[in-house]
Structure formats: structure tokens, C-alpha cells
Amino acid sequence: MTTTDARPADGYTGAIARVYDLVHQGKGKDYAGEAADLADLVTARAPGARSLLDVACGTGLHLSHLAARFERVEGLELSPDMLAAARHRNPGTTVHRGDMRDFALGTTYSAVTCMFSSIGHMTDQAELDAALAAFAAHTESGGVVVVEPWWFPETFTPGYVGAAVVEAEGKTISRVSHSRLEDGATRIDVHYLVAEPGEGVEHLAESHRITLFPRSAYELAFERAGLAAEFLPGGPSGRGLFVGLRP
């Protein structure tokens, strides 16, 4: 058995990046359905939307479906391993390497999206403000910014344990996570056992700190970025969505 640690500063890396999609799809995450709902939301708020930038696009599974709905779809990702997977999966799509806090692509889009609670990796209000300012700067007039938040302090469940066993691509993957409260944030420790015939069992581990911003912090960041925001309950993960319009 071998053990590998992810580097949280760079997001999901190495072997964990390679099993990421297998686990979440095996748990029932519907990337196609989420992309369709997201595209419908964007076009309802910005009729005629033609372009979209997906920030923290991960391995590009949303991108591959969004490309069918918009003339120009691009991604932005910090983790080199996730970036490589996104580019491999979407060979005709531009995927930039960049940090959501300070990226500058020199162009604008009808919509900028940031899904799967990636925004929670911002550590404080200043970083949250910086990210929303960067999103707004890349959104054309009349365009829309969609952000899926992490849990709010009052909706987070300390001590939550998640577990799943997935069989895919000849592998059996067991994922167990434990979430706890840590200085106003969620600390999530995740362990994977990846078994493959003839290869033995590999142990992978990662730990992430995800900030528990209150709803008011997101609303303030949208306001400071010049975006008129509304909060929609529900969303793809039950954590809701913030939708901001750029005048």
C-alpha cells in the first residue's frame, strides 16, 4: 500500500486528480444536467449570451457540455493536473491556467461561472472581493456572473461523514471524508483506497480548508464588484447559487 498527499494550495493534484471524476460521477453527480441548468439560467438572465468562462473548471466535465450551448466556451484552472485533464477532455476548448483572485485574460464573456463551491477556497473577505472583482472585469455589459457558494455557517454540519464506493475503469475506489469546524472554516479530511487487479491498493489522502462565509459576505463582494446579485436556493449541490448582473 502506498500513500499520497495532495497539495491543497494547488487544488487536486496527482493521483487524486485522476480519480476525481470517477468518484463524483459514481456518486451520481450529473455534469450534463448541471451544465444544461446552468446554461438555461445564464440565457434567462442574459438573452443572446454567446460566450462563457468557467472559473475553477476542474477536469472540464461541465465545459464539455456547455460547449454545445454557447459559441465560445473557455475554462480557467489553477491545478496543473486538473488543467491537463480539462485540456485533454476538451481539445477544441481554450483552458487557461490562472488563480481566480487575480487572473487577467484581456477579454470579456457573456457569462462567468464558478461552480462546485470552489469559491470557498478564498480565505477571507479580501480574497472573496478580489475574486468577484476579477469575475466582473471579465463579464461584458449585460452579462451574468454565477457562483455556487460553500455552506453558510448556519447550514454547515460539523462532524459530517461522507462515504462512497465506486467501480469504474477497472478500479474499485472507496472514498471517506470527515468535516469539522476550524476557526470559521470547514476542514475536510478525505481518504481514498484505490484497488486495481494486479496493482494492489493505493491510499490517497487530502485535506482542504473551505471558508464558511456568511451570505452577507458574498453579497458584499458582489456589491463591491458592481454586480446586482440575487441568491437562488437549491442549486446543483443544495447550497444555492448567487447570480449577479453586470450593468
Side-chain angles (χ1 to χ4, degrees):
M1 178 187 295
T2 60
T3 300
T4 304
D5 292 319
R7 301 188 303 275
D10 290 334
Y12 298 90
T13 60
I16 290 177
R18 292 192 291 275
V19 301
Y20 180 90
D21 289 334
L22 300 181
V23 169
H24 287 289
Q25 286 181 298
K27 289 169 59 180
K29 187 169 178 62
D30 182 5
Y31 286 93
E34 290 180 13
D37 290 343
L38 182 59
D40 289 343
L41 176 60
V42 166
T43 54
R45 298 300 193 281
R50 300 172 60 186
S51 58
L52 182 146
L53 174 70
D54 189 25
V55 176
C57 67
T59 62
L61 268 169
H62 281 135
L63 282 180
S64 61
H65 299 290
L66 289 167
R69 296 289 299 270
F70 299 94
E71 293 181 19
R72 178 169 61 106
V73 169
E74 298 181 4
L76 182 90
E77 176 56 44
L78 179 61
S79 163
D81 294 314
M82 300 289 265
L83 177 70
R87 287 174 172 168
H88 178 74
R89 174 172 281 118
N90 302 278
T93 299
T94 299
V95 185
H96 309 270
R97 183 166 192 229
D99 189 316
M100 70 172 73
R101 293 166 293 191
D102 60 8
F103 68 98
L105 304 182
T107 188
T108 58
Y109 306 82
S110 304
V112 174
T113 62
C114 184
M115 304 299 290
F116 216 5
S117 302
S118 299
I119 194 74
H121 289 282
M122 302 298 95
T123 61
D124 54 25
Q125 186 72 52
E127 290 194 353
L128 186 62
D129 290 351
L132 266 296
F135 297 172
H138 289 80
T139 306
E140 63 192 31
S141 179
V144 61
V145 173
V146 181
V147 173
E148 182 178 7
W150 182 237
W151 298 112
F152 302 142
E154 67 273 16
T155 59
F156 171 61
T157 304
Y160 179 79
V161 173
V165 177
V166 174
E167 293 186 1
E169 295 185 359
K171 301 178 177 67
T172 299
I173 306 165
S174 173
R175 177 188 185 272
V176 177
S177 66
H178 177 261
S179 302
R180 65 185 189 274
L181 190 63
E182 180 183 275
D183 299 326
T186 299
R187 171 62 67 180
I188 303 181
D189 297 315
V190 186
H191 293 265
Y192 303 81
L193 291 177
V194 183
E196 190 170 1
E199 300 294 333
V201 180
E202 184 178 16
H203 176 215
L204 310 174
E206 60 180 342
S207 183
H208 294 277
R209 186 179 189 276
I210 309 177
T211 306
L212 288 164
F213 289 110
R215 175 173 168 174
S216 59
Y218 291 102
E219 292 171 339
L220 179 59
F222 272 85
E223 179 183 348
R224 287 174 172 171
L227 300 166
E230 62 177 316
F231 177 71
L232 305 178
S237 304
R239 296 187 282 267
L241 292 171
F242 285 98
V243 182
L245 301 179
R246 186 162 189 251

